[in-house]
Amino acid sequence: QGTLHKTVNVFVCNSRGDVLVQRRMPTKDVCPDMWDVSCAEHLKPKETYQEAALRGLYEELKITLCGPLTMAHDEHRHEIRLPEKGVWDREVQTCFCVHYDGSWEADHVEVAEARFVPLE
């Protein structure tokens, strides 16, 4: 607990400017049953942020992309402490955006529900 590790967040936006958000499963330790970014992944050893983002998009939403993603935010540190749950999450994160109008399907092992919402 408290070990610094790398994570990536991805925002999927459609041509109308809506963003795909997902509600986390109620069984998650951190922010259960809360709305979150389109996709979030922990990096595997030797995996790049881009590789983890593409893997996560497929695992969580069945989205397959071929091209590079657009970086929306450089690396930064993020920390969550929930002592009542024994959680101390220390991350080095980066964030990507992707424009996507194709089909998708939420993986209900990871995602309680997902939907596009307007940014306004």
Side-chain angles (χ1 to χ4, degrees):
Q1 296 243 349
T3 303
L4 193 61
H5 59 282
K6 291 184 176 184
T7 63
V8 62
N9 295 317
V10 183
F11 289 92
V12 176
C13 299
N14 63 22
S15 58
R16 292 186 309 274
D18 301 330
V19 65
L20 183 62
V21 295
Q22 65 165 270
R23 188 169 54 83
R24 295 170 60 82
M25 291 298 288
T27 53
K28 294 285 188 178
D29 288 334
V30 177
C31 302
D33 213 31
M34 302 289 288
W35 288 97
D36 202 352
V37 299
S38 306
C39 169
E41 280 296 325
H42 291 92
L43 274 68
K44 293 181 177 181
K46 299 184 181 181
E47 190 174 40
T48 67
Y49 285 114
Q50 184 101 200
E51 291 166 342
L54 293 171
R55 175 177 54 80
L57 284 169
Y58 182 75
E59 288 177 359
E60 294 181 15
L61 300 167
K62 300 299 180 254
I63 293 175
T64 302
L65 299 175
C66 299
L69 303 173
T70 303
M71 185 172 282
H73 198 289
D74 290 332
E75 278 188 341
H76 65 280
R77 288 185 180 220
H78 178 74
E79 185 172 314
I80 296 175
R81 286 187 188 211
L82 302 169
E84 68 279 7
K85 292 187 174 188
V87 172
W88 181 19
D89 198 14
R90 298 176 59 224
E91 301 176 340
V92 177
Q93 296 181 341
T94 196
C95 183
F96 292 98
C97 288
V98 61
H99 294 280
Y100 182 77
D101 284 310
S103 62
W104 58 274
E105 179 184 342
D107 173 10
H108 292 292
V109 172
E110 289 285 326
V111 180
E113 68 177 295
R115 62 179 168 226
F116 276 100
V117 296
L119 288 177
E120 300 175 1

